[in-house]
Amino acid sequence: MAMTSSRPYMIRAIYEWIVDNDCTPYLLVDAHAKNVQVPVEHVNKDGQIVLNVAPSAIRGLLVEDGAVSFNARFGGLPTDIYVPYAGVLGIYAKENGQGMIFEPEPEVDPEPPEPTEPPEGDKPRPSLRVVK
């Protein structure tokens, strides 16, 4: 069974961990990945950009199903940033470099396939329940 990407969960968790430890979270982005929207004038020669995503530096951070998005200022101008998960190369603390670098991940269609009905005669799937 194919699972969804773990990348959004890891990004959220590491972001919170970095902020909780009073460090500055930086997002390393492949600016040439499909549908990435970043200010191209700040992309380095390797096609990457490092974004300060500290709560004091950005507004409206969303780590949703398909991408990381927020608004930040570049040269004093408010700019909307949009980075699909395939474009997120890593997240780390500016102060000590601790965080996570991600392995390349295949780009996924934005809409999941329609669920299919299980064939007749299949056993029911196990379920979880809370035990107190």
Side-chain angles (χ1 to χ4, degrees), residues 45-62:
K45 64 180 178 163
D46 296 327
Q48 299 175 348
I49 185 170
V50 176
L51 302 169
N52 176 352
V53 289
S56 61
I58 63 171
R59 294 195 184 278
L61 176 66
L62 293 173

Side-chain angles (χ1 to χ4, degrees), residues 24-79:
T24 309
Y26 275 10
L27 202 64
L28 177 61
V29 174
D30 175 359
H32 298 306
K34 186 177 179 182
N35 296 325
V36 168
Q37 297 173 8
V38 295
V40 293
E41 62 273 15
H42 296 283
V43 173
N44 68 23
K45 64 180 178 163
D46 296 327
Q48 299 175 348
I49 185 170
V50 176
L51 302 169
N52 176 352
V53 289
S56 61
I58 63 171
R59 294 195 184 278
L61 176 66
L62 293 173
V63 182
E64 296 182 311
D65 292 336
V68 176
S69 61
F70 56 90
N71 185 277
R73 290 189 170 274
F74 290 87
L77 299 173
T79 306

Side-chain angles (χ1 to χ4, degrees), residues 56-118:
S56 61
I58 63 171
R59 294 195 184 278
L61 176 66
L62 293 173
V63 182
E64 296 182 311
D65 292 336
V68 176
S69 61
F70 56 90
N71 185 277
R73 290 189 170 274
F74 290 87
L77 299 173
T79 306
D80 289 329
I81 304 297
Y82 182 83
V83 183
Y85 294 132
V88 177
L89 300 175
I91 182 169
Y92 62 93
K94 170 189 172 187
E95 292 77 6
N96 57 22
Q98 291 188 16
M100 180 175 278
I101 300 298
F102 299 108
E103 292 294 320
E105 188 172 275
E107 294 180 18
V108 191
D109 290 337
E111 300 202 282
E114 292 293 320
T116 58
E117 293 295 318

